[in-house]
Amino acid sequence: MNIKACLFDLDGVIVDTAKYHFIAWKELANELGFDFTEEHNERLKGVSRMTSLDILLEIGGIELSQEKKLELADTKNKRYVSYIEKMEPDEILPGVVSFLNELRLAGIKTAIGSASKNAPLILTRLNLTSFFDAIIDGNRVSKAKPDPEVFLKGAAALEVSAQECVVFEDAAAGVEAALNGGMKCIGIGETVNLGMAHMVIPGFQSFTLKDLEQMN
Ligand code: G6P
Ligand code: MG
């Protein structure tokens, strides 16, 4: 098989943290006096914390100073962290652990490529850290997806070429990032949002190494 490494986005691919991001952003919006819906929340997938806040304020039609924005982003993050600190391993998405085990047994390298600065906390909380050979998170990148930086750093850390990597992503910006980096990409979710990926699957429930091999 040509595939030597699998790179995983975290939120929405390994674990369903999107609901906690949503609750924390919604609370903030409500305090600022406007509503924030699940549909609005789709726009924040794969987007950095500060850009997410900018989108939220745009939805509410609110303009604030940079200082106030930093304060609000911090408030949101503290709430989000209070939710993820209570997460349990059963919140890992179905099929993820068995697929990661298969990769380990097959000697395929693995990395996380996420915009989240909370990635290490989530992985520790869910006992997932040891499944990954490298963790590239929001603390280690300067360019947001669709820039390929996060995945190229992942490939470099694993000492493989971009062509030898497959990226798993649930956000359109993340799929674009993988393609921009010259990598293969499997979308997690619906074709309507992720149609440009090489393959789209609903999740890892019935995805195995055999399916991955067919990408060659
Ligand atoms: C991921 C999520 C985004 C989130 C971003 C930053 O990409 O999909 O919704 O805004 O990470 O997360 P953080 O935990 O650093 O606020
Ligand atoms: Mg994601």
Side-chain angles (χ1 to χ4, degrees):
M1 187 162 72
N2 293 330
I3 297 166
K4 295 210 174 121
C6 287
L7 310 183
F8 297 85
D9 174 50
L10 178 66
D11 295 299
V13 170
I14 300 287
V15 63
D16 184 17
T17 37
K19 63 182 178 214
Y20 298 119
H21 278 298
F22 174 58
I23 298 168
W25 284 126
K26 190 178 171 69
E27 283 175 353
L28 192 72
N30 293 351
E31 281 159 16
L32 292 168
F34 63 94
D35 197 20
F36 182 74
T37 65
E38 297 231 25
E39 204 182 328
H40 290 141
N41 192 52
E42 280 300 305
R43 291 177 60 191
L44 309 190
K45 275 193 184 175
V47 175
S48 75
R49 194 180 305 165
M50 288 311 287
T51 307
S52 296
L53 178 63
D54 284 336
I55 295 172
L56 182 121
L57 293 175
E58 182 202 302
I59 291 165
I62 293 176
E63 275 185 42
L64 296 172
S65 67
Q66 186 62 13
E67 194 190 351
K68 184 71 187 163
K69 286 205 270 187
L70 287 171
E71 186 193 313
L72 291 182
D74 189 49
T75 302
K76 181 268 171 179
N77 190 55
K78 284 193 174 122
R79 284 191 187 141
Y80 174 67
V81 167
S82 77
Y83 298 132
I84 58 174
E85 273 174 343
K86 292 185 204 104
M87 271 170 70
E88 296 295 337
D90 65 4
E91 291 176 68
I92 299 168
L93 287 164
V96 165
V97 171
S98 75
F99 184 60
L100 290 173
N101 269 320
E102 264 198 301
L103 295 180
R104 272 275 179 265
L105 287 173
I108 295 176
K109 294 178 180 175
T110 53
I112 287 286
S114 166
S116 174
K117 294 185 173 169
N118 292 302
L121 174 69
I122 295 168
L123 293 170
T124 305
R125 173 81 203 155
L126 300 178
N127 297 325
L128 288 172
T129 310
S130 63
F131 281 106
F132 298 99
D133 301 307
I135 295 166
I136 313 296
D137 64 25
N139 302 294
R140 299 190 51 189
V141 290
S142 55
K143 295 181 214 127
K145 299 171 187 176
D147 190 285
E149 184 188 16
V150 68
F151 296 130
L152 294 177
K153 282 195 169 169
L158 299 178
E159 299 178 332
V160 294
S161 70
Q163 292 74 25
E164 293 167 327
C165 296
V166 174
V167 170
F168 292 86
E169 254 294 349
D170 71 317
V175 173
E176 267 184 72
L179 301 182
N180 287 338
M183 298 175 177
K184 296 187 189 79
C185 186
I186 298 183
I188 306 291
E190 293 178 28
T191 311
V192 62
N193 303 321
L194 309 170
M196 57 291 191
H198 292 90
M199 187 195 291
V200 179
I201 57 173
F204 292 97
Q205 296 95 320
S206 51
F207 189 80
T208 65
L209 197 56
K210 237 183 179 159
D211 300 303
L212 187 69
E213 283 163 3
Q214 281 170 10
M215 285 203 83
N216 276 306

